[in-house]
Amino acid sequence: ITCFFFSSRRRHTRSSLVSWARRCVQETAYAVTDYRIFMAFYIMSYILDQVDGMAARHFNQCSKFGAMLDMLIDRSATVSLLVLLGYLKRECFGYFLSMAIIDIVSHWYQMYSSVLWGADTHKAGVKDENILVWFYYKCPGVLFLCVLGAESYSCGFYWMLNNPDIYNNI
Protein backbone atom coordinates (compact mmCIF):
# COMPACT_ATOMS: atom_id res chain seq x y z
CA ILE A 1 0.00 0.00 0.00
CA THR A 2 2.80 2.43 0.84
CA CYS A 3 4.33 1.88 -2.59
CA PHE A 4 0.99 2.75 -4.19
CA PHE A 5 0.59 6.04 -2.34
CA PHE A 6 4.18 7.27 -2.38
CA SER A 7 5.52 5.94 -5.65
CA SER A 8 7.25 8.63 -7.66
CA ARG A 9 5.77 7.08 -10.81
CA ARG A 10 2.21 7.52 -9.57
CA ARG A 11 0.74 10.99 -9.93
CA HIS A 12 -2.31 11.54 -7.74
CA THR A 13 -4.92 14.08 -8.62
CA ARG A 14 -6.42 16.39 -6.04
CA SER A 15 -9.77 14.67 -6.38
CA SER A 16 -8.40 11.14 -5.87
CA LEU A 17 -6.59 12.34 -2.75
CA VAL A 18 -9.93 13.67 -1.48
CA SER A 19 -11.43 10.23 -2.23
CA TRP A 20 -8.73 8.49 -0.21
CA ALA A 21 -9.24 10.98 2.62
CA ARG A 22 -12.95 10.20 2.47
CA ARG A 23 -12.22 6.51 2.82
CA CYS A 24 -10.05 7.21 5.88
CA VAL A 25 -12.88 9.26 7.40
CA GLN A 26 -15.24 6.31 6.83
CA GLU A 27 -12.87 3.92 8.56
CA THR A 28 -12.54 6.35 11.47
CA ALA A 29 -16.32 6.52 11.78
CA TYR A 30 -16.55 2.77 12.33
CA ALA A 31 -13.68 2.84 14.84
CA VAL A 32 -15.47 5.11 17.31
CA THR A 33 -18.06 3.90 19.81
CA ASP A 34 -20.11 7.07 20.33
CA TYR A 35 -22.96 7.19 17.82
CA ARG A 36 -22.85 11.00 17.65
CA ILE A 37 -19.20 10.99 16.62
CA PHE A 38 -19.96 8.19 14.14
CA MET A 39 -22.71 10.32 12.59
CA ALA A 40 -20.40 13.35 12.36
CA PHE A 41 -17.74 11.31 10.53
CA TYR A 42 -20.30 9.61 8.29
CA ILE A 43 -21.79 12.95 7.25
CA MET A 44 -18.30 14.37 6.77
CA SER A 45 -17.61 11.46 4.43
CA TYR A 46 -20.53 12.44 2.20
CA ILE A 47 -19.50 16.09 2.24
CA LEU A 48 -16.07 14.96 1.03
CA ASP A 49 -17.85 13.02 -1.73
CA GLN A 50 -19.33 16.30 -2.97
CA VAL A 51 -15.94 18.05 -2.68
CA ASP A 52 -14.31 15.20 -4.59
CA GLY A 53 -16.67 15.56 -7.54
CA MET A 54 -16.44 19.34 -7.60
CA ALA A 55 -12.63 19.19 -7.43
CA ALA A 56 -12.44 16.68 -10.28
CA ARG A 57 -14.61 18.87 -12.52
CA HIS A 58 -13.00 22.15 -11.47
CA PHE A 59 -9.42 20.95 -12.06
CA ASN A 60 -10.45 18.95 -15.16
CA GLN A 61 -9.26 15.74 -13.50
CA CYS A 62 -12.19 13.47 -14.29
CA SER A 63 -11.06 9.95 -15.13
CA LYS A 64 -12.42 6.42 -15.37
CA PHE A 65 -10.25 5.49 -12.40
CA GLY A 66 -11.75 8.36 -10.39
CA ALA A 67 -15.29 7.36 -11.35
CA MET A 68 -14.65 3.74 -10.33
CA LEU A 69 -12.94 4.80 -7.10
CA ASP A 70 -15.82 7.12 -6.23
CA MET A 71 -18.41 4.43 -6.88
CA LEU A 72 -16.50 1.84 -4.82
CA ILE A 73 -16.12 4.23 -1.89
CA ASP A 74 -19.82 5.13 -2.12
CA ARG A 75 -20.75 1.44 -2.09
CA SER A 76 -18.45 0.67 0.83
CA ALA A 77 -20.00 3.48 2.87
CA THR A 78 -23.58 2.50 2.14
CA VAL A 79 -23.09 -1.25 2.54
CA SER A 80 -21.11 -0.81 5.77
CA LEU A 81 -23.93 1.23 7.28
CA LEU A 82 -26.55 -1.28 6.13
CA VAL A 83 -24.59 -4.17 7.65
CA LEU A 84 -24.24 -2.20 10.89
CA LEU A 85 -27.98 -1.55 10.94
CA GLY A 86 -28.67 -5.24 10.33
CA TYR A 87 -26.34 -6.14 13.17
CA LEU A 88 -27.99 -3.68 15.56
CA LYS A 89 -31.54 -4.64 14.56
CA ARG A 90 -31.16 -8.37 13.92
CA GLU A 91 -34.82 -9.01 13.08
CA CYS A 92 -34.35 -6.63 10.10
CA PHE A 93 -31.04 -8.12 8.93
CA GLY A 94 -32.62 -9.70 5.82
CA TYR A 95 -34.12 -6.37 4.82
CA PHE A 96 -30.82 -4.51 5.17
CA LEU A 97 -28.92 -7.31 3.42
CA SER A 98 -31.39 -7.11 0.53
CA MET A 99 -30.89 -3.36 0.31
CA ALA A 100 -27.10 -3.84 0.25
CA ILE A 101 -27.30 -6.46 -2.50
CA ILE A 102 -29.61 -4.32 -4.63
CA ASP A 103 -27.31 -1.32 -4.13
CA ILE A 104 -24.17 -3.20 -5.17
CA VAL A 105 -25.73 -5.05 -8.12
CA SER A 106 -27.54 -2.03 -9.57
CA HIS A 107 -24.50 0.22 -9.40
CA TRP A 108 -22.15 -2.45 -10.73
CA TYR A 109 -24.55 -3.18 -13.60
CA GLN A 110 -24.77 0.54 -14.47
CA MET A 111 -20.97 0.93 -14.33
CA TYR A 112 -20.30 -2.21 -16.32
CA SER A 113 -22.85 -1.41 -19.03
CA SER A 114 -21.39 2.09 -19.34
CA VAL A 115 -17.91 0.65 -19.82
CA LEU A 116 -19.21 -1.79 -22.46
CA TRP A 117 -20.81 1.06 -24.38
CA GLY A 118 -17.60 3.12 -24.15
CA ALA A 119 -18.94 5.88 -21.90
CA ASP A 120 -16.45 7.88 -19.85
CA THR A 121 -18.52 7.55 -16.67
CA HIS A 122 -21.56 5.65 -15.43
CA LYS A 123 -23.39 8.98 -15.36
CA ALA A 124 -22.74 9.75 -19.04
CA GLY A 125 -25.62 7.71 -20.36
CA VAL A 126 -25.62 4.78 -22.75
CA LYS A 127 -27.47 3.71 -25.85
CA ASP A 128 -31.12 2.78 -25.23
CA GLU A 129 -30.88 3.77 -21.58
CA ASN A 130 -33.90 3.29 -19.35
CA ILE A 131 -35.85 6.54 -18.95
CA LEU A 132 -35.73 6.35 -15.14
CA VAL A 133 -31.95 5.90 -15.16
CA TRP A 134 -31.64 8.81 -17.60
CA PHE A 135 -33.85 10.99 -15.36
CA TYR A 136 -31.85 10.00 -12.28
CA TYR A 137 -28.49 11.02 -13.76
CA LYS A 138 -29.42 13.85 -16.14
CA CYS A 139 -31.93 16.00 -14.26
CA PRO A 140 -30.23 18.42 -11.86
CA GLY A 141 -30.92 17.69 -8.25
CA VAL A 142 -32.66 14.32 -8.73
CA LEU A 143 -29.53 12.28 -7.99
CA PHE A 144 -28.71 14.52 -5.03
CA LEU A 145 -32.21 14.27 -3.56
CA CYS A 146 -32.37 10.48 -4.00
CA VAL A 147 -29.00 9.98 -2.32
CA LEU A 148 -29.91 12.45 0.42
CA GLY A 149 -33.18 10.62 1.05
CA ALA A 150 -31.59 7.16 1.16
CA GLU A 151 -28.73 8.26 3.40
CA SER A 152 -31.07 10.24 5.65
CA TYR A 153 -33.26 7.16 6.07
CA SER A 154 -30.28 4.96 7.02
CA CYS A 155 -28.71 7.58 9.29
CA GLY A 156 -32.06 8.36 10.91
CA PHE A 157 -32.65 4.68 11.61
CA TYR A 158 -29.16 4.40 13.13
CA TRP A 159 -29.85 7.49 15.24
CA MET A 160 -33.15 6.02 16.49
CA LEU A 161 -31.51 2.71 17.40
CA ASN A 162 -29.07 4.62 19.59
CA ASN A 163 -31.74 6.74 21.26
CA PRO A 164 -34.04 4.38 23.17
CA ASP A 165 -36.41 7.20 24.16
CA ILE A 166 -37.17 7.94 20.52
CA TYR A 167 -37.08 4.31 19.35
CA ASN A 168 -39.40 2.96 22.04
CA ASN A 169 -42.06 5.61 21.33
CA ILE A 170 -42.44 4.58 17.68
Side-chain angles (χ1 to χ4, degrees):
I1 293 177
T2 305
C3 294
F4 176 79
F5 285 113
F6 298 108
S7 171
S8 60
R9 291 177 279 148
R10 177 118 181 106
R11 190 174 139 249
H12 290 282
T13 62
R14 290 174 181 98
S15 56
S16 69
L17 291 175
V18 172
S19 293
W20 290 116
R22 177 178 177 219
R23 185 67 187 129
C24 291
V25 167
Q26 286 175 0
E27 290 298 321
T28 304
Y30 288 97
V32 299
T33 56
D34 186 328
Y35 72 95
R36 292 169 293 225
I37 296 172
F38 170 86
M39 294 295 293
F41 277 102
Y42 194 83
I43 292 167
M44 186 187 317
S45 166
Y46 271 92
I47 291 170
L48 285 173
D49 184 32
Q50 294 299 313
V51 170
D52 167 30
M54 290 187 301
R57 288 183 289 279
H58 178 75
F59 294 110
N60 197 25
Q61 295 177 336
C62 297
S63 67
K64 289 183 181 183
F65 172 77
M68 286 274 200
L69 179 64
D70 186 58
M71 186 197 58
L72 289 172
I73 292 173
D74 288 348
R75 301 295 55 79
S76 70
T78 301
V79 170
S80 296
L81 182 57
L82 292 172
V83 168
L84 177 63
L85 291 172
Y87 174 78
L88 294 174
K89 186 78 170 155
R90 301 236 169 133
E91 60 269 21
C92 296
F93 184 79
Y95 168 73
F96 291 116
L97 179 63
S98 298
M99 286 178 57
I101 290 169
I102 290 169
D103 184 66
I104 291 169
V105 170
S106 64
H107 281 86
W108 190 256
Y109 175 80
Q110 178 66 16
M111 179 66 81
Y112 188 70
S113 64
S114 298
V115 168
L116 287 178
W117 285 102
D120 289 333
T121 175
H122 63 287
K123 296 177 183 177
V126 296
K127 183 180 178 184
D128 299 329
E129 186 170 53
N130 180 294
I131 189 69
L132 293 175
V133 174
W134 178 89
F135 185 71
Y136 180 73
Y137 285 120
K138 297 298 181 186
C139 294
V142 172
L143 172 66
F144 175 77
L145 290 175
C146 287
V147 171
L148 180 66
E151 293 300 324
S152 296
Y153 168 79
S154 297
C155 287
F157 197 82
Y158 178 76
W159 189 271
M160 284 185 354
L161 288 175
N162 285 283
N163 285 288
D165 296 336
I166 295 172
Y167 183 70
N168 292 333
N169 292 327
I170 295 179

